Amino acid sequence: MPSTLWEFQDLFVELRDGPAAGWGGEVLQPWLDRRPHLVAELHELGRPDSRRVSVPREGNHYTALEGLYAFSRIVDVLLSAFQPGNSDPQLLDWTSGKPWWRGTIPGTSAWSTFRAAIRAAPLAESSFHPFFHEIVSVQVSDDADEPPSVIGEFWPGAIVGSMLVARAGVAVRAGAHHLDADVAARSALYWAWWRCNRRVVDPSHGWGHNSQWSTDFRRDYIAEGHLYYNVDADPSRQPNRDLNDADRIDLLRYRCSIRTDLGADQLPFDDTFVEQAP
């Protein structure tokens, strides 16, 4: 049976063209209540064993990964309510010079309503780990060897079953040997369609109205005591790059540069990695 998750694309368009600023549950809840099949499919994909199941192409239908990608754009919009604004022109759609998101900003309650409606569990990790945490700001420690620690949260993360939906946005404190404060908080964020506060790199960028939706979601799982990053990657498609293995894995795990800015022109989308869960 073809995936129905592409219907989140319809919600994206409705949110872009419709509600006034500060919208929340009054918009999201009725839409999701009418589509319990979407929540059921999300939870089927969230099963631990689903990480082993490849997502097939289904002719002219959107695949589950493409449907999840539409879903992830909704998540990006909801998280914008918690992000500081930034007037840097590099944050704009480079094909048009306009903002990536041209709708209104939701209220902060929209994210919690959405998480509850899709039955997503909160991420309860208090110790910093790039699987669970997106770096928003960095406080420099006097001790250059101090590892990153969470000192504040901008927004909570979410997980459906074993599948990561969104990392928590956090402020961290770290020594310079672990993170460069400006690089870790301001470098290009990969696998993100939009952020208010930093440049993003998304495979859909630059494609036309229809083609952009043929983008795959990055699936990450926590299962059986391990963290699985980008399980649908195809390493055979990986072009040669001038990155060493450590930088490649850091870019995959953190989704951004952390010490030296690696730029916004890397192609990490077919890297994959497995490590022990903390």
Side-chain angles (χ1 to χ4, degrees), residues 73 75-81 83 91 99-106 134 189 191-202 205:
R73 280 203 183 181
V75 173
D76 281 0
V77 170
L78 297 177
L79 298 184
S80 69
Q83 296 158 14
L91 274 61
W100 290 109
W101 173 244
R102 299 173 195 177
T104 55
I105 302 297
E134 176 180 321
L189 184 68
W191 288 282
W193 172 71
W194 175 59
R195 290 290 185 274
C196 291
N197 61 311
R198 71 190 299 170
R199 190 175 180 185
V200 289
V201 181
D202 184 89
H205 290 168

Side-chain angles (χ1 to χ4, degrees), residues 25-79:
E26 76 286 353
V27 176
L28 297 169
Q29 193 70 57
W31 193 93
L32 288 164
D33 286 345
R34 293 192 297 271
R35 295 167 176 85
H37 54 282
L38 298 183
V39 178
E41 187 173 353
L42 281 173
H43 281 266
E44 176 63 23
L45 288 164
R47 293 189 305 106
D49 286 347
S50 290
R51 74 183 188 278
R52 299 191 179 101
V53 180
S54 61
V55 176
R57 295 288 161 187
E58 301 181 69
N60 293 325
H61 299 288
Y62 284 109
T63 70
L65 291 183
E66 291 165 341
L68 281 171
Y69 174 72
F71 165 79
S72 75
R73 280 203 183 181
I74 304 298
V75 173
D76 281 0
V77 170
L78 297 177
L79 298 184

Side-chain angles (χ1 to χ4, degrees), residues 127-200:
S127 298
F128 176 80
H129 194 287
F131 185 92
F132 303 103
H133 299 115
E134 176 180 321
I135 297 171
V136 180
S137 67
V138 179
Q139 181 185 103
V140 180
S141 170
D142 292 336
D143 178 1
D145 291 320
E146 181 179 336
S149 60
V150 175
I151 58 173
E153 183 178 83
F154 290 86
W155 65 81
I159 193 165
V160 168
S162 293
M163 182 177 68
L164 183 66
V165 169
R167 299 183 298 169
V170 295
V172 301
R173 183 176 61 242
H177 290 168
H178 291 273
L179 300 176
D180 178 282
D182 189 58
V183 170
R186 296 287 174 263
S187 62
L189 184 68
Y190 287 79
W191 288 282
W193 172 71
W194 175 59
R195 290 290 185 274
C196 291
N197 61 311
R198 71 190 299 170
R199 190 175 180 185
V200 289

Side-chain angles (χ1 to χ4, degrees), residues 73 93-96 100 193 202-209 211-212:
R73 280 203 183 181
D93 178 343
W94 47 267
T95 65
S96 68
W100 290 109
W193 172 71
D202 184 89
S204 76
H205 290 168
W207 290 94
H209 174 72
S211 298
Q212 64 183 284

